Amino acid sequence: MVKLNIDGKTVKVLEGTTVLKAAEQAGIYIPTLCAHPQLTRYGGCRLCMVEVEGASTLQPSCTLPVTEGMQIKTNTKKILDARKFVLTLIFSERNHFCMYCQVTDGDCELQNAAYDEGMTHWPLQPNWQPYEVDASHKFFVLDHNRCILCRRCVRACNELVGNFTLGFKERGANSFLVADYGVPLGESTCISCGTCVQICPTGALIDRQSAYQGKEIEVDHHPSVCVDCSIGCQRDVLTRDNRLIRIEGDWDTPLNHGLLCEKGRFEPLAKECNRILTPLVRKDGSLKAATWDEAISAIIEKIKPLTGKKEKGLAVLASSRLSTESLALIDEVFNQGFEAAIVTSIEEDQTSSVAAEIAKELEKPFESKLDVLKDTDVALVLGADLATDHQVAGFFLKRQQASGTKLIVAGTKENRFIDKANLKLQQTKGTSLDLIESLTAALVELRKAKVEDLKAADALYSSSEKTGLAIDSLLKTAEYLSSAKKPVIVYGKGFVSNNNKVALKALLEFAALIGKNGAPLVGVKGQANSMAAAQLMLVKPFKADSVQAVYLALGDEIPTKKLTKDLENVPFVAVHAAYSSQLTANADVVLPAAIWAEEEGHYLNSDGRLQKNVKALEAPENVLDTVTTLQKIAELLNVKTKGDWKSQLLARVSSVEITQG
């Protein structure tokens, strides 16, 4: 620990802590603009200058490490004059007309800093030169008039996301934020994660949805969980007057540290679908509005005769976007109570189910937490497109490449993430098992002086023929993994397709051969709650021609064309859905469902974290949440429920250790 004095207050902090951080820990405020807790030290704006005893000039507190016995002052006249001068220069460089800006009156860090220093006007007249506004992006707008050149957006794009889209051209006051080589944002390599928008201290970057709809003090904040994939990023959902205003990442969360992708930040706000607002029952060939009692009674009338029938009985299908409470209740009502022919999820991704089967055989978890992706020097990605799905996991890997991390991407299907790879294993033929056998043979060949295996070379050539991968690429992969200090293997749905348990077992054996202690294995699962569905054993195959009736708890998921077609010839279909679709148009009974923001419940992410999604909006008047709807059905079926969803969830071994939060 290091002891220092700040404004007459004795402070003890860890060695290497900056003066700014030390002051924050002591409750002493030092204004900043370019600094951010998730970014590396920069020292660009010079607003955080402090006096250090023994130093001839003011020092930037955001980059200055503490030393034993240091004497610091943060509010002398010299410092206050310097702050006002810095702010004066910043205001003079661009057209900061606060009354027209969407972040004025509380949300702008520049304006707040000026008010803190007692500034009420511009000491220097602004440049008055108009700067362009780039409105080419579908989700946000870049207004160069508001930019203060702090470079937080550029650093966030590079350091946090690893996309390197943003940069600056020219120098000094003529610096100009650009995307790629000066193309409009909407035509650039931007992946629409929105990190730059959230981290911008002024109104230079604003998102289209929330602009001018409410300040931070005028909206309600709901700490919540993203339900758009199994990463389960924690986020802050902002609402006003029961309207969804904006979604932001939570910088303080241990999982994603404020990062969100396009699907988690912008798409929920941009979704344009027709809500189902009343129950519907098919009469005389067409769907007619009905009461809840009429609709549920129509369902009970059709399915009750099918109680306990395993042949030509009832199939109950559920979306993996539903909460654990809902999935557990579906299992309790229809599987344990009603004894339906089949109770399963509609998700076709098998990463969770295959992993759950192996965990059951091993009687212990075998996968690692996502945190290992944040600190690895070699990563092998198998059958996962982290540029399209589970993007935040991809951010963890991409951002480390700048510091030397080697990224190896393998797979047989189209994969946008392979463009980011240092080494590409584009398998042209063979199976996932063939790939692992090839890599195992390459690893053995690389160690042939230590391993008594005279057939290693022959096995390598043979497996190379099966996969279409060059021997040099296989050996290079083995070399990277063998020399790595912190190797990690990531697998996804492309690797375990067709219920490939044998390939996953082979991967476990291969991972154990790497290095001294083996390589940790991370599985990126499918939808938001696919892990919970697997734990509840709702992962059975479904055949529409084997049942007489289907009850589908779809929630706010958009049904696939395949699912719609599969259910076309089922004699009776009841759908609990939030949005209209061809599937609901074909159904015999339709129940309106709440969307993700209108329900409260828990989600088990691919990291094994059991997290709570907080209700942010009140559902429309005649719309019930999933649990309430299921309880109504259970009551009419005379099925008694305990609602002990947590015990159901923990009743079997998980592929990754389950933890709270």
Side-chain angles (χ1 to χ4, degrees), residues 85-361:
F85 181 65
V86 167
L87 289 168
T88 295
L89 292 179
I90 292 174
F91 275 108
S92 70
E93 287 176 350
R94 300 285 169 104
N95 302 312
H96 296 285
F97 299 113
C98 295
M99 67 288 292
Y100 301 116
C101 183
Q102 92 95 11
V103 298
T104 192
D105 295 335
D107 290 356
C108 177
E109 293 180 35
L110 173 63
Q111 186 188 57
N112 291 343
Y115 284 149
D116 286 342
E117 302 307 319
M119 295 178 66
T120 57
H121 63 283
W122 297 317
L124 290 178
Q125 183 168 300
N127 191 3
W128 302 120
Q129 177 182 343
Y131 291 88
E132 69 178 44
V133 176
D134 183 351
S136 62
H137 199 282
K138 61 180 178 179
F139 292 128
F140 52 86
V141 175
L142 168 60
D143 185 350
H144 291 283
N145 294 280
R146 315 283 190 219
C147 182
I148 60 172
L149 314 181
C150 68
R151 289 168 171 77
R152 266 165 50 166
C153 57
V154 176
R155 292 149 59 208
C157 188
N158 298 353
E159 297 175 18
L160 303 182
V161 184
N163 212 56
F164 298 91
T165 295
L166 300 176
F168 273 87
K169 68 177 182 179
E170 304 301 339
R171 302 185 68 180
N174 293 323
S175 296
F176 208 75
L177 181 65
V178 293
D180 296 331
Y181 293 101
V183 302
L185 268 173
E187 300 172 16
S188 71
T189 57
C190 172
I191 57 172
S192 302
C193 69
T195 307
C196 60
V197 179
Q198 183 174 338
I199 212 165
C200 178
T202 66
L205 286 161
I206 59 174
D207 74 84
R208 294 176 179 273
Q209 172 71 19
S210 68
Y212 302 99
Q213 291 203 51
K215 308 298 174 190
E216 290 290 321
I217 59 173
E218 299 171 337
V219 297
D220 297 315
H221 295 259
H222 309 271
S224 194
V225 178
C226 179
V227 298
D228 283 277
C229 84
S230 64
I231 298 296
C233 295
Q234 292 165 303
R235 59 187 182 179
D236 186 13
V237 177
L238 280 60
T239 63
R240 186 183 188 186
D241 299 330
N242 206 40
R243 290 183 295 112
L244 194 58
I245 300 298
R246 186 164 69 250
I247 297 175
E248 293 187 339
D250 185 344
W251 299 117
D252 296 324
T253 56
L255 175 62
N256 53 305
H257 299 286
L259 293 179
L260 295 174
C261 69
E262 173 184 355
K263 295 178 181 178
R265 188 188 299 272
F266 293 122
E267 286 190 3
L269 282 71
K271 184 176 288 186
E272 295 181 0
C273 301
N274 293 324
R275 285 294 299 267
I276 299 170
L277 299 175
T278 186
L280 303 169
V281 176
R282 188 169 297 279
K283 296 178 180 178
D284 301 323
S286 61
L287 288 172
K288 307 289 186 183
T291 65
W292 272 94
D293 288 342
E294 290 171 341
I296 292 179
S297 295
I299 294 172
I300 300 301
E301 181 184 346
K302 289 291 185 180
I303 69 172
K304 199 161 189 178
L306 304 177
T307 303
K309 289 188 67 173
K310 296 302 179 182
E311 296 292 332
K312 294 296 182 180
L314 171 69
V316 179
L317 311 178
S319 167
S320 297
R321 281 175 59 93
L322 296 178
S323 68
T324 305
E325 289 89 335
S326 298
L327 293 175
L329 195 54
I330 286 171
D331 177 60
E332 190 176 7
V333 172
F334 292 106
N335 193 27
Q336 301 173 34
F338 186 88
E339 296 183 37
I342 182 171
V343 182
T344 188
S345 63
I346 59 174
E347 188 177 2
E348 297 179 4
D349 180 17
Q350 296 167 336
T351 46
S352 298
S353 57
V354 174
E357 289 179 31
I358 292 181
K360 182 180 179 182
E361 291 180 12

